Amino acid sequence: MAQYGSNIVLSNKEFNVVGTRPIRHDGTDKVTGKAKFGADYTPPLTLHGAVLRSPHPHAEIISIDTAQAESLEGVLAVITSEDFPKSSDEQSEGASRLINVRDNVLADKKVLYQGHPIGAVAAINQHIAEEAVKLIQVKYRVLKPVFTAPEGALPEAPLLHPNLKTQTFAGESTKPSNIAKHFRTTLGDIEQGFKEADFIVEREFTTKTVHQGYIEPHAAVAFWNRDGKIDVWCSTQGTFVVRDRLSDMLKVPVSQITVTPLEIGGGFGGKIPVYLEPLACLLSKKTGSPVKLTMTRKAVFESTGPTPGSYIKLKVGATKSGKIIAAKAYMAYEAGAFPGSPIDSAIQCISSCYAIPNLDVEGIDVVVNKPKTAAYRAPGATNPAFAMETIVNELADKIGIDELDFRLLNASHEGTFRADGPPHKSIGVKELIEAMKNHDHWKSPIQGPYVGRGVAIGLWFNIGLPSSCSISVRKDGTVALVEGNPDIGGTRVSISMQAAEVLGIRAEDVQPTVVNTDLIGFTGLTAGSRTTFATGWAAYEAAQDVKQQMIDRAAIVMETESKNIDMQNGVFKDTKNPDVSMTFKELASQLDSTGGPIMGQSTVNPKGVGASASGCMVDLAVDPETGKITILRFTGFQDAGKAVHPSYVEGQIQGGSVQGIGWSINEEYFYGPQGDLTNSTFLDYRMPTALDLPMIDTVIVEVPNPGHPYGVRGVGEASIIPPPAAIANAIHQAIGLRMNQLPMNPTAILEGLWNSQDSLPNN
Amino acid sequence: MAQYGSNIVLSNKEFNVVGTRPIRHDGTDKVTGKAKFGADYTPPLTLHGAVLRSPHPHAEIISIDTAQAESLEGVLAVITSEDFPKSSDEQSEGASRLINVRDNVLADKKVLYQGHPIGAVAAINQHIAEEAVKLIQVKYRVLKPVFTAPEGALPEAPLLHPNLKTQTFAGESTKPSNIAKHFRTTLGDIEQGFKEADFIVEREFTTKTVHQGYIEPHAAVAFWNRDGKIDVWCSTQGTFVVRDRLSDMLKVPVSQITVTPLEIGGGFGGKIPVYLEPLACLLSKKTGSPVKLTMTRKAVFESTGPTPGSYIKLKVGATKSGKIIAAKAYMAYEAGAFPGSPIDSAIQCISSCYAIPNLDVEGIDVVVNKPKTAAYRAPGATNPAFAMETIVNELADKIGIDELDFRLLNASHEGTFRADGPPHKSIGVKELIEAMKNHDHWKSPIQGPYVGRGVAIGLWFNIGLPSSCSISVRKDGTVALVEGNPDIGGTRVSISMQAAEVLGIRAEDVQPTVVNTDLIGFTGLTAGSRTTFATGWAAYEAAQDVKQQMIDRAAIVMETESKNIDMQNGVFKDTKNPDVSMTFKELASQLDSTGGPIMGQSTVNPKGVGASASGCMVDLAVDPETGKITILRFTGFQDAGKAVHPSYVEGQIQGGSVQGIGWSINEEYFYGPQGDLTNSTFLDYRMPTALDLPMIDTVIVEVPNPGHPYGVRGVGEASIIPPPAAIANAIHQAIGLRMNQLPMNPTAILEGLWNSQDSLPNN
């Protein structure tokens, strides 16, 4: 298999540190095994827990008898939903969200998916805990399940929640339904739009439930101390979110809870919800000891949030001059057992790459008997991109225009109206498409039989949220940086680099530590591609604070006023006396004699979030005998705004691309006839490995985000969006088959071929 | 035995939080065993170490053969002084200090005291490590030792360091000597002073080496990572000091070293030096694994710094009207094996309680074959107070004036010149003596045969040094406080209270965490009674920073300007619209909507250090048959400036008093004929226990320190100073014997009685 591995950075502005590739601060710890991940922490006298999970996808709980489990020697506590503090006035909307989160953690009255936790045990060791779980007697009344959004939305579908009403922009429905949300947003005049269209394509698409597939299963340790203080150690994307959720669920003030992040072995959005943490807390409260819970891989698949399967119907019209003029979409997303699929993002993203004057986008969020969905890398955006980007290709074919030129002609830009929300701010969709057009991959010939090339693009809006940072200066001229974002993809270094740039020192001279919730101001999730953007900004501001204080000290040493000091590239100069200068390091050694130590800090709540455009180009071969797809060449393109550390941006592009490829060609939750998940291992739930794929080439496009000091946009998510459509487009080119379902696995391809034998071109 | 236990606070100003007695934040952890002390931390795969210590008090090391130790199965590394990086240019004064510290940690060429470490081993368990240590073959050439300062200062004394020159105010001597320092300071005209004196008393005093006797032996774990970063976990009074010492000794920048404080089971100054930390680092570097070292009690006594034994000759003259007019002192302090006894403090403190116009104070620092001395609670001040305060009593007797009136007449005050340094700032010596005179104890009759009452006073100058603090606001209206001082005596709460006072919240609503050297700006030692003073001040300033930011947010919510907001007792009011107000808690819940999180921080390097005066009053009975002393009643008095948390001030007074009593009547390093310490266990080195003493009554005098926002002086040390003199004065009253040596144990008392039988009064 060819190894490409060329990485290109289309840079816009040079800095001293930002844009370079220093070794990450946590590198040695991670490659030598010193780094402690979720399951690596076991305080002395820790009890071990296990969780009873539902065998049924939908059932009423008639009774739970824990007596036998409690009497097993070595068992110290058994909990059920009854152990949660519950107040009688839990009726408000906020409370219903809380109840859903709580009922997902431990089922109350009903189980809503196979794997739904019902009870948990703490025992002196793991074996006894697991034995005890089997002794919990649950009587069920099994109910009919429903598994997909379109089915769940039918009036005759079995209801999961007897009191769930449909939320719309106009208010709430009166009748109970599995449809939790029903949103519709329009722009222009959709009917007139389609009237003006010369070409219209309308197709239906289905995608399956897929999991983030992080390497590290969930793990949590909790210790509920006798003074009411709770310590939690876990692998999470957001320590403050875990703290706040626990506070709500346990009815304990946030100040009583300390959440300490361990290293995280992947998250991709799936380590935002809490699962084990509340159970460990309740078990610790009952036993007075630390309690540890870890998930098996089976539990991860069955009980943690995947991304939704979906049904999408999309109709797009274009003029013969190549202008997309109208688009109408209907999307039904599976929420899983409780409301909350990313249908909002889907509505926001489906047409966001294009300036389409007439839009009608409708979406429903449907509860079904599967695990509650969680975020997964650009959550909600990949499914509609599969629909939109394959139809865009089909329209280009019909019009007879190059597929990239067609995209460029219709590309959205700053000021383009969106279906939902305010017009686009600065975005790099055009620059991204130009980079794709100019790439060697696009210019190279396609070779071999049943080989095709496909392209697709996507846009992810990214998020902001508050972040905090503090920085202390040390006498050797280095600084210690404190921040609160678990480092999933290299954010220790990308945050540190932004501080280093301000201070004129090396990235290696900034030493970052990710701390618990007691040691830094509130800091939002490591999610939404926000960490390098927002916490990097906090580091920038904290460094500015340090810089100003250092300037004041330089003025003392140089016997002048602060306003006369100029600091560039880490050198302080007296502008009135240009011969006098000193470096950051020299000044750092004189802090004691000039007033004491220096700390800087900042908290930010940034509003200048910049969306990130991504694209990909894939060459693949289809084996018409087996339906197997072989990816021959793959190039990922992404607008980073400014790539703070290009290597980790490239890593994000490669990682997102591979997840997108897996989603495209193989991954799915495969259910048996009783709604039992039959592939809950990595052997059966087959994700692509390094052996399955060529090296992913990358191109970083830099269209600086004016809403960030260094132009950063955030790059963690967008690259997962285009691969399914690009692969579908390549399949079409290879064998003439238009795919409209994920995964495009051998079965789907062979079925497609059998259903339309004449589509196989002469290769 | 009578239980008094009355605690009096003579308060000067009321605050809302400062001056109250909330439960300490670390209370539950410490009483339930959750708190982790030095030896409680063992990371996975830790190797265990043991140290070879010299059996000789003075010897040349001819050779060290580690081969046999290294070949023992289970041994992974053996180190000697050769393993320290040593550079050829180690000749400067700073370097000689470094060499001394290093040679104390591992002997190079010579051993200078029994217990001097020579080598260390890391092995897979403690037993093998201890076996291996015995296999290290050391050839010695035994040298004649010298044990006391006067002997060590003699020209014919065996030299410990062939190149040690005597440092004086005028420069350095040319001839090698055991006298490391020889300082002399004068005031007025000493000869004229004595001419004008009507009464002169001159006496010689000796005191023995005593140990701090902290409960917890030293322990350290180090991990020298493959990227050159070093993590150290230890029980220390100063994480930043450990970091800086290790940086010097290991020639590694401070930024490569992270020192994490574990809880500390007592320090009293003795946990400032490093002993095990460098050894654990070197062993970890050699093995690539974490290495843990803990001391036995024997090692603590033999190898860690006690406070010096001393010889003092003091001559004091007074007029018949009761004015002390001249004092001349000569003090010889044992430095231990390396220079650095607290002779400077002795010179500064000997006359500091009194306004004496003519002074001549001389002191020498003499190296002897004992462990290098370390700080011990008001280091250097107790020995000369024993001399001064017994002579003051003798003079009062001769003049025929009440001993407290005599002290009051001569008490130093703001502006009084000192023998050494600038005139006194605000001090509370007079107020302290007044409080003693007014106390019920002083007014109560003395009862019983061979019973006496004694008083004495002392003054300790305290220290400042830099401190840092950061504070984050949480949405439930509490704040998280981050600081860097290991909490020995309740400083988490005393620091938090000062922040709470500023913010108008409860002490319980401030949650303090003591963090490692990467997570906060430089913070000086927990020592010199500085923590509540300096780090409390940092907390005050960080809280002011938070307060101003909260005022800005209140202005946003109240739709006015910040300058219109008044904040008192945690309530924000719009001065233009007095009906509008909100509490700190209400505002804290609105941070997200008003701009994001709030963090405040500060670094301070305070200059307003305030000295703390202490006094004590003791009733005791002497058994003339056995010489045994029984303490009948004891009242400690101390000027706290402002007592932030009176309970912990009372605890400091009681603790200091008990240590002073132990030093007075029993404790000493008892050496056998070969210089071998014969009482290196707590069974033989007998410290007073709760069973030996009555409850110590306390009186907190509050003379606010104008150099601190709340008037804090710092209270950790001064109360150890007066007990020896007070007990000697009480013995004199009981049996007419003037004691001039410590300890005043049964042997000393019986010898005194036998030498002067006629002094026994008729009781």
Side-chain angles (χ1 to χ4, degrees), chain A residues 312-558:
Chain A
I312 298 173
K313 186 173 179 180
L314 178 62
K315 178 179 174 184
V316 185
T319 64
K320 57 190 173 191
S321 65
K323 184 72 201 141
I324 304 177
I325 194 152
K328 181 175 164 63
Y330 174 83
M331 297 182 276
Y333 268 44
E334 298 164 8
F338 298 92
S341 76
I343 189 67
D344 326 53
S345 303
I347 293 171
Q348 193 173 342
C349 290
I350 185 163
S351 66
S352 63
C353 284
Y354 303 110
I356 307 176
N358 305 295
L359 288 169
D360 180 352
V361 183
E362 194 176 350
I364 60 171
D365 177 45
V366 185
V367 292
V368 297
N369 293 112
K370 290 183 180 176
K372 162 77 179 73
T373 56
Y376 178 23
R377 213 165 191 154
T382 302
N383 318 32
F386 176 52
M388 177 62 81
E389 289 294 295
T390 52
I391 288 183
V392 161
N393 251 40
E394 196 171 346
L395 281 170
D397 285 355
K398 285 183 193 291
I399 299 166
I401 182 172
D402 172 86
E403 56 198 311
L404 283 178
D405 288 337
F406 183 53
R407 285 178 170 86
L408 196 54
L409 205 58
N410 291 284
S412 57
H413 46 77
E414 188 165 352
T416 299
F417 279 95
R418 300 187 298 170
D420 180 45
H424 281 298
K425 293 188 282 188
S426 156
I427 50 171
V429 179
K430 281 175 183 286
E431 292 83 350
L432 182 101
I433 299 170
E434 295 280 8
M436 293 172 77
K437 282 183 66 176
N438 293 330
H439 196 270
D440 165 75
H441 186 163
W442 189 241
K443 294 171 183 165
S444 306
I446 309 172
Q447 293 165 333
Y450 310 118
V451 166
R453 173 171 296 161
V455 296
I457 61 171
L459 184 71
W460 179 244
F461 47 78
N462 294 335
I463 61 172
L465 299 182
S467 278
S468 306
C469 182
S470 79
I471 296 177
S472 309
V473 183
R474 291 150 160 174
K475 65 180 178 184
D476 65 358
T478 65
V479 302
L481 182 152
V482 179
E483 47 112 349
N485 273 116
D487 181 355
I488 310 187
T491 50
R492 280 183 181 90
V493 69
S494 68
I495 292 165
S496 297
M497 289 168 76
Q498 295 178 63
E501 187 73 44
V502 172
L503 300 175
I505 58 180
R506 302 179 311 152
E508 294 83 350
D509 290 338
V510 180
Q511 301 212 326
T513 309
V514 179
V515 295
N516 74 33
T517 50
D518 285 348
L519 306 183
I520 190 73
F522 184 90
T523 295
L525 294 160
T526 298
S529 302
R530 65 173 293 280
T531 308
T532 298
F533 167 76
T535 309
W537 195 337
Y540 170 89
E541 295 291 350
Q544 294 286 2
D545 185 3
V546 167
K547 180 178 169 179
Q548 187 53 53
Q549 295 179 59
M550 291 291 277
I551 285 173
D552 295 343
R553 299 301 178 87
I556 293 172
V557 175
M558 298 181 186

Side-chain angles (χ1 to χ4, degrees), chain A residues 29 34 225 255 474 511 518, chain B residues 29 225 255 474 511 518:
Chain A
D29 283 0
K34 187 192 169 204
N225 207 351
S255 48
R474 291 150 160 174
Q511 301 212 326
D518 285 348
Chain B
D29 283 1
N225 207 351
S255 48
R474 291 150 160 175
Q511 301 211 328
D518 285 349

Side-chain angles (χ1 to χ4, degrees), chain B residues 483-706:
Chain B
E483 48 110 350
N485 273 115
D487 181 355
I488 310 186
T491 50
R492 280 184 181 90
V493 69
S494 68
I495 291 165
S496 297
M497 290 169 76
Q498 295 178 62
E501 187 73 44
V502 173
L503 299 175
I505 59 180
R506 302 179 310 152
E508 294 83 351
D509 289 339
V510 179
Q511 301 211 328
T513 309
V514 179
V515 295
N516 74 34
T517 50
D518 285 349
L519 306 182
I520 190 75
F522 185 90
T523 294
L525 294 160
T526 298
S529 302
R530 66 173 292 280
T531 307
T532 298
F533 167 75
T535 309
W537 195 339
Y540 169 90
E541 295 291 350
Q544 293 287 0
D545 186 2
V546 167
K547 180 177 169 180
Q548 186 53 52
Q549 295 180 59
M550 292 291 277
I551 285 173
D552 295 343
R553 299 299 178 89
I556 293 172
V557 175
M558 297 181 187
E559 297 178 342
T560 181
E561 289 174 66
S562 297
K563 65 176 187 202
N564 297 334
I565 302 290
D566 178 55
M567 195 275 219
Q568 295 291 336
N569 301 328
V571 177
F572 299 85
K573 279 191 182 141
D574 181 354
T575 52
K576 304 271 177 187
N577 190 358
D579 294 344
V580 179
S581 77
M582 61 195 308
T583 65
F584 188 92
K585 190 167 184 168
E586 286 164 352
L587 185 55
S589 70
Q590 298 189 33
L591 296 189
D592 276 358
S593 56
T594 55
I598 286 180
M599 279 186 77
Q601 61 85 13
S602 98
T603 58
V604 297
N605 195 6
K607 301 300 179 201
V609 181
S612 177
S614 67
C616 72
M617 196 170 291
V618 58
D619 295 356
L620 56 77
V622 183
D623 181 337
E625 302 282 324
T626 64
K628 180 178 188 298
I629 288 169
T630 302
I631 307 290
L632 302 172
R633 182 173 181 180
F634 192 104
T635 308
F637 303 76
Q638 189 170 344
D639 174 15
K642 176 68 193 174
V644 175
H645 192 306
S647 299
Y648 299 127
V649 176
E650 287 152 9
Q652 292 294 336
I653 296 174
Q654 291 166 327
S657 297
V658 172
Q659 289 191 317
I661 294 168
W663 192 345
S664 303
I665 64 177
N666 200 63
E667 295 175 37
E668 66 177 307
Y669 269 40
F670 198 90
Y671 284 97
Q674 306 305 318
D676 49 320
L677 188 59
T678 58
N679 62 340
S680 55
T681 70
F682 271 151
L683 204 62
D684 297 319
Y685 183 93
R686 183 78 164 77
M687 301 183 81
T689 70
L691 296 177
D692 297 314
L693 297 175
M695 189 67 190
I696 308 288
D697 288 352
T698 67
V699 177
I700 301 174
V701 180
E702 293 193 335
V703 180
N705 170 17

Side-chain angles (χ1 to χ4, degrees), chain A residues 28-29 34 223 225 227 229 231 244 254-255 466 472 474-476 478 480 511 518 521 595 597 599 601 603 605, chain B residues 28-29 34 223 225 227 229 231 244 254-255 466 472 474-476 478 480 511 518 521 595 597 599 601 603 605:
Chain A
T28 306
D29 283 0
K34 187 192 169 204
F223 183 29
N225 207 351
D227 58 1
K229 299 269 170 63
D231 271 301
D244 293 357
V254 292
S255 48
S472 309
R474 291 150 160 174
K475 65 180 178 184
D476 65 358
T478 65
Q511 301 212 326
D518 285 348
M599 279 185 78
Q601 60 85 13
T603 58
N605 195 9
Chain B
T28 305
D29 283 1
K34 187 191 170 205
F223 183 27
N225 207 351
D227 59 0
K229 299 269 171 61
D231 271 302
D244 292 358
V254 292
S255 48
S472 309
R474 291 150 160 175
K475 65 180 177 183
D476 64 358
T478 64
Q511 301 211 328
D518 285 349
M599 279 186 77
Q601 61 85 13
T603 58
N605 195 6

Side-chain angles (χ1 to χ4, degrees), chain A residues 26-110:
Chain A
D26 50 334
T28 306
D29 283 0
K30 283 181 174 162
V31 299
T32 59
K34 187 192 169 204
K36 279 198 160 63
F37 289 82
D40 292 338
Y41 182 71
T42 313
L45 304 179
T46 292
L47 301 175
H48 296 266
V51 178
L52 175 66
R53 297 176 190 279
S54 170
H56 307 294
H58 197 189
E60 261 178 53
I61 298 173
I62 308 294
S63 65
I64 305 175
D65 181 355
T66 60
Q68 216 179 321
E70 278 161 356
S71 65
L72 184 67
E73 190 170 333
V75 170
L76 282 99
V78 181
I79 55 164
T80 66
S81 178
E82 294 300 307
D83 289 282
F84 275 117
K86 295 175 183 174
S87 50
S88 52
D89 59 343
E90 287 178 344
Q91 297 305 329
S92 68
E93 198 219 337
S96 94
R97 267 204 296 269
L98 161 65
I99 293 169
N100 286 342
V101 172
R102 194 176 62 199
D103 287 355
N104 189 39
V105 164
L106 275 179
D108 183 27
K109 300 187 184 70
K110 282 184 90 175

